[in-house]
């Protein structure tokens, strides 16, 4: 999912939305504003949620359930972005996705480390990275072809749907203390 989304969201903004005419800002300035806003808002939200995230990591089932929820919200943000009617809506959804990813990432890393026995931890974490790369290699070109044939909105929507199995894994893991 991430490869297709990461490669196409900028093209979606450029082709399907009218950028606001504030001053003489070119699209590149808007991408900079979006990046800076995403970083700043993510920093503030993650710092505000830090203690809660740390408490969640103490109970693996609760951490997995929280990851299922954050991943579902991320999927919803991506699916809604594919349907967004305005630049402002797309901007807000991209900010939301950025914040949700920033919240989920440290929680997922902590959850993995705590639930993998030390003797195989390095191997499993390495395999996790390899699986991510394989998913990007397998999913990215397919999403790209879909974008070429059916449009960028369809490709972004499909990239969002590819997150669904991850939600299932986290929800399943959340059932066990």
């Amino acid at each position: 999912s991430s490869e297709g989304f990461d490669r196409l969201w900028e093209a979606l903004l450029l082709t399907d939305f009218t950028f606001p005419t504030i001053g003489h800002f070119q699209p590149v300035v808007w991408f900079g504003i979006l990046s800076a806003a995403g970083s700043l808002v993510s920093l503030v939200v993650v710092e505000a949620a830090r203690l809660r995230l740390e408490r969640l990591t103490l109970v693996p089932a609760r951490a997995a359930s929280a990851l299922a929820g954050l991943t579902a919200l991320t999927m919803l943000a991506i699916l809604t972005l594919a349907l967004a009617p305005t630049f402002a809506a797309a901007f807000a959804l991209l900010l939301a996705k950025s914040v949700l990813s920033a919240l989920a990432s440290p929680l997922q890393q902590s959850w993995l480390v705590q639930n993998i026995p030390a003797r195989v931890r390095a191997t499993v974490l390495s395999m996790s990275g390899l699986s991510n790369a394989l998913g990007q290699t397998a999913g990215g070109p397919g999403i790209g072809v879909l974008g070429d044939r059916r449009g960028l909105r369809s490709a972004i929507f499909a990239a969002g749907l590819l997150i669904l199995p991850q939600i299932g894994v986290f929800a399943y893991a959340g059932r066990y203390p």
Side-chain angles (χ1 to χ4, degrees):
S1 171
S2 65
E3 182 68 13
F5 179 83
D6 290 345
R7 300 294 167 252
L8 298 177
W9 71 265
E10 292 163 329
L12 178 71
L13 286 183
L14 288 168
T15 60
D16 286 29
F17 296 99
T18 301
F19 286 74
T21 54
I22 297 174
H24 296 290
F25 287 177
Q26 297 295 315
V28 69
V29 174
W30 283 107
F31 287 119
I33 291 169
L34 179 60
S35 178
S39 296
L40 182 62
V41 173
S42 294
L43 178 70
V44 169
V45 171
V46 169
E47 185 56 32
R50 187 174 50 83
L51 289 176
R52 181 158 170 76
L53 291 171
E54 287 174 3
R55 279 188 248 125
L56 280 173
T57 62
L58 299 175
V59 182
R62 286 181 55 204
S65 294
L67 283 166
L70 288 169
T71 305
L73 289 171
T74 300
M75 183 180 86
L76 182 63
I78 292 170
L79 295 175
T80 307
L81 172 65
L83 305 171
T86 64
F87 179 84
F91 191 93
L93 290 161
L94 287 164
L95 280 179
K97 190 223 177 269
S98 176
V99 169
L100 291 163
S101 296
L103 285 168
S105 183
L107 184 58
Q108 183 173 348
Q109 283 301 109
S110 296
W111 179 73
L112 279 173
V113 168
Q114 288 180 341
N115 289 290
I116 300 170
R119 62 184 171 76
V120 295
R121 186 172 297 136
T123 302
V124 173
L125 292 175
S126 178
M127 288 302 297
S128 176
L130 288 171
S131 297
N132 183 9
L134 178 62
Q136 289 185 29
T137 302
I143 295 294
V145 168
L146 181 63
D148 188 47
R149 296 203 174 139
R150 298 285 182 201
L152 293 171
R153 288 183 183 266
S154 294
I156 296 288
F157 197 87
L161 289 177
L162 288 176
I163 296 173
L164 196 56
Q166 188 178 13
I167 298 167
V169 168
F170 288 136
Y172 180 79
R175 294 177 32 200
Y176 297 98

